[in-house]
Amino acid sequence: MTGPNQRPLLFLDVDGPLIPFGATPQQLPQGYPTYRPAAGRPSGAGNPLVARIDPALGPKLAALGCELVWATTWLDSANECVAPWLGLPALAVVEWPEDPEDLVRGLHWKTPPLVDRAAGRPFVWVDDEISATDRAWVAGRHPGRALLQRIDPRIGLTDADFAAIRAWLRAGEGGAGG
């Protein structure tokens, strides 16, 4: 179980939420916007996709007051490339099982390890591959509060996503609940 003063976890995927992809040329005739790192920040360790990440997302994520955790196949590379670009410290990284076991059809392979990692703590999961099956699975197996915030990978994290996360966090400030 968790203590009453533990901050909620925020499990953060990179591809989709931070690095948008998949829009058609009709949707984005000019292509995806690219950004320059904020003054004094590294340039993304040579990964050209990092330039698609809006550096302004870092302060927005930090302001949520959650314990940020990488939930991405980037693993420690997220700390080498993405965290410095966003102005974030190195974050904990979810280590994925080599062979996910007993997955339910339609259940994302990340879902069981994230619930295990949360160990009853409230959590937000920000990913572009969340489904109704994941939501139902979490609701049936996680005793704490959970918000599974599906991000449109063509757009990435938006102000509306941050508003939904902040509203969920505020709703849980009064105590435990589902």
Side-chain angles (χ1 to χ4, degrees):
M1 287 309 272
T2 63
N5 295 325
Q6 283 188 303
R7 296 180 299 158
L9 296 162
L10 190 148
F11 294 120
L12 182 60
D13 186 26
V14 172
D15 296 314
L18 298 179
I19 299 175
F21 68 90
T24 66
Q26 292 77 21
Q27 292 168 319
L28 288 175
Q30 305 301 317
Y32 280 100
T34 57
Y35 302 88
R36 300 180 66 161
R41 292 190 192 161
S43 64
N47 187 318
L49 291 177
V50 172
R52 285 191 189 176
I53 301 173
D54 182 351
L57 293 173
K60 289 180 180 181
L61 288 163
L64 293 172
C66 295
E67 182 181 328
L68 301 175
V69 178
W70 293 122
T72 175
T73 57
W74 283 58
L75 300 170
D76 285 318
S77 294
N79 281 324
E80 296 166 17
C81 300
V82 180
W85 179 270
L86 290 171
L88 296 173
L91 307 178
V93 176
V94 175
E95 296 291 333
W96 306 113
E98 284 189 37
D99 244 348
E101 300 175 17
D102 302 325
L103 289 185
V104 174
R105 183 176 180 91
L107 184 68
H108 195 288
W109 59 268
K110 290 182 183 178
T111 307
L114 293 179
V115 169
D116 288 346
R117 176 71 179 260
R121 283 176 70 177
F123 73 88
V124 176
W125 176 21
V126 175
D127 204 305
D128 61 302
E129 297 180 335
I130 294 168
S131 71
T133 303
D134 299 302
R135 287 185 174 87
W137 198 93
V138 170
R141 288 167 180 80
H142 180 66
R145 297 176 68 242
L147 172 66
L148 280 62
Q149 186 69 24
R150 187 184 183 287
I151 306 302
D152 183 339
R154 297 168 300 171
I155 300 168
L157 268 166
T158 65
D159 288 340
D161 295 312
F162 280 100
I165 294 166
R166 284 191 300 272
W168 182 86
L169 291 167
R170 277 192 307 274
E173 288 175 354

